[in-house]
Amino acid sequence: MSLNFKKVNIINFPIAMVSLLAFSIVTIIPNYFFYFFMLSTILMMIAFLTNWHQIDKKLFNYFGLFLLPSLIGCFSYPISMILEGEVFDYSQLNILGRLSNLFLLFVLILFLHTYIKDKNISLPFRWYWIGVGLLMITAIWQFTDVFLHLTNFPFETRSNLHSTYGVEYSFAKRLTGIASEPSYFVMLAIDFIILSFLFTRGLKKKILIAIGLLLVFLSLSPSGYLTLFFTLIGAYIFTKLKHLTFKFKWHSVFIFIMISPIVIMFLFYFLNSAYFDYVYNRIADPRMLDSSRAYMSYMPFCWAWESNPVSFLFGHGIKSYSIIGTAFYLPDGSPVHVTSNNLFVDTFWEAGLLGIIVLLVFFIYVISRAFKIKYSKVQSFSTFFVLFNLVFSSIFRADFASFRFFILLYLVFILIHYDLRSIKGFHV
C-alpha cells in the first residue's frame, strides 16, 4: 500500500505540472518548463506503471482520426519536394519539431488516460483550469494598472493599441496578462469560463464566469468575441436540438424582464463607445479583406488550385505552410508568414483537399457522438461548448499541435464517454 501511494504521488506531480503549464506556451514563460514536465510524465508512467501499454482503443481511434491529416501531410511531403522543389525552398523546412510534438502529445494523452481512468479523471483538467486561472490573475493585475492605476504591471506583451486603418482611439491598452498577445490570451480566457462552469458551483461559479467574461471583453480581441459568441450560440442550439425542450417557464420570463434593462443599458453604452467602434472596424471594415491575415487565409486555396493535381489533393507536406513565404508574398511585399493562424487553411495547404475533408469528417463525427450521449443537459451543453470552442478558435489560432488543443479534445472525449455526475471533482 505504501509503495502504491508513493507511485501515485510521483506520477501525479508531473501530470499536475504539465497540465498547469499548458497555458505557458503562449506566454512570456520559457517553454522548456512545459516540455521538461511533459517528458517527465511520459517517462515516469513507463517506469512506474505496469499497465502503461494498455491503450484505450476508442481514445486511440479518436485521436488517430484527428491526426490523420498530419499523416497525409507526411505522405505528401516527399512527393511535393519532387514536384514543387523548384517553387518552394524545402531546404528551409524542418518537420522533426512538428512530428515529435504531435507524437509526444498523442502518447502523453494515451498514457494519461490509462493512468487516470480508474483513479481521478478530473486531475489534468483541474490543473489546466488552475493554470489558466493563474493567467487570469495576471490579467486582473494588468487591469489594476491600466484601468485603475493602482499597481504597476511590469511585463511587456503586445497589449498596445495604436490605431486601426488610420483611426486613432483614446484608449491605448488591451488586457493580455502575461500572454504574448490578446489573441492568445482570449482563447485561454474562454477555456477558463467553461472549466469554471465544470469545476465550481453556486456563487463561486457565477463570480468566476463573470470575471472570465469581463476579461474577454477587456482583451478587445475581435477573434475572441466571435469565438465566444458562436460557441455559446452553437452549444445552446445543439443542446436544445438534442433534448428538444422548448418549454415556456414563467420564472425565465421574470428573470429576462429583470435583467433586460441592465443589458440594454450596457449595450447602449458599448455601442456608443470607442471600444465598439474599434471592434466593429476590425471585423466589418471592407479593408479587412485587404489585410495580410485575410490574404494568408484565402490565397492558399488559389495557389493550390494553380499547382499540380497531386499537391492540390494531398497537400504540399506537413508544416509546408512555414515555407510558403519562399515563393509567395503579401501585398506589402513581405513574405507570407509561417502560419495562416487558421487550422483549416494550414491543414488544406499541408494535407490538401483530402486532409481538410478528413478534418471536417472528424468534427462531424464528434458532433454526432455528442448527440448520442444520454447524460444531463448541463453535460451536453458543456460538450458542445468545448467542441465549438475548438472549432471556432481554430479559425483564428492554428494551435492544433499544442497541449491546450489536445487536452480540450481529450475533455470532449471524456464528456462523451463518461457521466460526470459520477466522477469526483466535476460539478455538473
Side-chain angles (χ1 to χ4, degrees):
M1 290 296 293
S2 175
L3 182 60
N4 289 336
F5 178 78
K6 290 179 180 179
K7 286 182 181 179
V8 167
N9 279 275
I10 288 173
I11 298 174
N12 278 359
F13 176 72
I15 290 175
M17 291 306 298
V18 73
S19 303
L20 177 73
L21 292 171
F23 81 96
S24 67
I25 296 297
V26 294
T27 69
I28 60 177
I29 300 174
N31 292 347
Y32 52 75
F33 289 110
F34 168 79
Y35 286 106
F36 170 79
F37 284 107
M38 180 172 69
L39 290 172
S40 298
T41 303
I42 295 173
L43 293 175
M44 284 190 176
M45 286 185 177
I46 295 175
F48 290 99
L49 294 181
T50 57
N51 65 333
W52 60 268
H53 58 283
Q54 297 177 0
I55 303 302
D56 187 303
K57 292 182 179 179
K58 290 182 179 179
L59 183 63
F60 182 91
N61 294 334
Y62 174 81
F63 273 97
L65 182 58
F66 169 70
L67 292 173
L68 187 53
S70 295
L71 292 178
I72 295 172
C74 292
F75 165 77
S76 63
Y77 169 69
I79 299 175
S80 288
M81 283 186 65
I82 298 172
L83 298 177
E84 304 276 0
E86 295 182 358
V87 180
F88 305 101
D89 187 0
Y90 276 87
S91 66
Q92 297 186 24
L93 179 58
N94 183 0
I95 66 173
L96 293 179
R98 170 78 67 80
L99 288 176
S100 60
N101 205 42
L102 290 175
F103 175 75
L104 289 174
L105 289 172
F106 183 42
V107 170
L108 175 62
I109 294 295
L110 293 178
F111 288 1
L112 182 62
H113 183 68
T114 300
Y115 172 67
I116 69 172
K117 65 180 180 181
D118 297 321
K119 296 180 177 65
N120 184 5
I121 288 181
S122 67
L123 177 65
F125 310 113
R126 179 173 288 276
W127 280 102
Y128 176 63
W129 172 54
I130 293 173
V132 293
L134 293 175
L135 178 62
M136 298 306 108
I137 291 175
T138 67
I140 294 172
W141 180 6
Q142 188 180 24
F143 171 81
T144 62
D145 176 17
V146 174
F147 294 94
L148 303 180
H149 307 294
L150 297 177
T151 60
N152 177 46
F153 187 73
F155 306 106
E156 289 294 329
T157 62
R158 294 182 61 184
S159 61
N160 291 323
L161 177 74
H162 300 293
S163 66
T164 301
Y165 307 118
V167 179
E168 297 290 339
Y169 294 94
S170 58
F171 52 94
K173 288 282 187 178
R174 302 181 286 176
L175 293 190
T176 62
I178 58 172
S180 300
E181 61 177 69
S183 65
Y184 297 155
F185 168 79
V186 72
M187 302 309 174
L188 293 169
I190 296 174
D191 295 350
F192 175 76
I193 291 171
I194 186 58
L195 290 170
S196 297
F197 181 77
L198 289 172
F199 285 117
T200 58
R201 59 177 56 165
L203 181 61
K204 183 179 180 182
K205 182 195 294 282
K206 294 180 177 64
I207 291 174
L208 291 179
I209 291 176
I211 291 173
L213 291 171
L214 177 63
L215 295 177
V216 169
F217 172 73
L218 293 177
S219 71
L220 296 179
S221 173
S223 60
Y225 292 175
L226 292 174
T227 297
L228 180 59
F229 176 78
F230 286 111
T231 296
L232 283 170
I233 293 298
Y236 176 80
I237 291 175
F238 275 72
T239 302
K240 285 294 184 181
L241 289 174
K242 181 184 184 310
H243 293 276
L244 294 176
T245 54
F246 295 93
K247 295 182 179 179
F248 182 82
K249 298 180 180 180
W250 280 107
H251 73 274
S252 299
V253 175
F254 176 75
I255 294 174
F256 176 78
I257 294 174
M258 292 296 293
I259 67 173
S260 290
I262 299 174
V263 174
I264 291 172
M265 289 178 62
F266 171 79
L267 288 175
F268 178 81
Y269 171 78
F270 178 63
L271 293 176
N272 288 279
S273 68
Y275 294 101
F276 174 77
D277 184 56
Y278 166 74
V279 174
Y280 177 80
N281 284 334
R282 286 288 307 275
I283 296 174
D285 195 294
R287 284 169 289 186
M288 268 296 295
L289 297 176
D290 298 324
S291 69
S292 296
R293 184 157 189 164
Y295 187 84
M296 290 188 296
S297 294
Y298 64 77
M299 283 305 295
F301 294 93
C302 301
W303 295 328
W305 179 257
E306 294 170 356
S307 66
N308 64 84
V310 175
S311 296
F312 180 80
L313 290 174
F314 300 102
H316 294 77
I318 188 169
K319 205 183 177 181
S320 57
Y321 198 103
S322 64
I323 60 168
I324 200 172
T326 61
F328 298 112
Y329 298 86
L330 299 174
D332 63 5
S334 60
V336 173
H337 300 171
V338 296
T339 176
S340 66
N341 280 319
N342 186 309
L343 165 62
F344 305 97
V345 176
D346 279 17
T347 299
F348 173 76
W349 182 261
E350 296 177 6
L353 182 62
L354 180 60
I356 194 67
I357 290 175
V358 170
L359 182 63
L360 294 175
V361 166
F362 169 77
F363 284 120
I364 292 171
Y365 163 75
V366 178
I367 291 173
S368 68
R369 292 290 295 125
F371 262 105
K372 294 179 181 179
I373 64 175
K374 299 179 180 180
Y375 308 132
S376 66
K377 294 179 186 177
V378 174
Q379 184 162 335
S380 295
F381 176 83
S382 302
T383 306
F384 288 120
F385 187 100
V386 178
L387 179 57
F388 284 122
N389 177 24
L390 284 173
V391 171
F392 291 118
S393 66
S394 293
I395 298 174
F396 309 101
R397 294 288 311 130
D399 62 346
F400 56 94
S402 70
F403 188 59
R404 179 249 174 190
F405 203 98
F406 271 66
I407 198 171
L408 290 181
L409 271 185
Y410 180 39
L411 178 57
V412 172
F413 178 86
I414 296 298
L415 288 165
I416 289 175
H417 291 89
Y418 294 84
D419 186 351
L420 295 195
R421 291 172 296 187
S422 62
I423 299 177
K424 182 180 179 181
F426 290 104
H427 300 295
V428 296

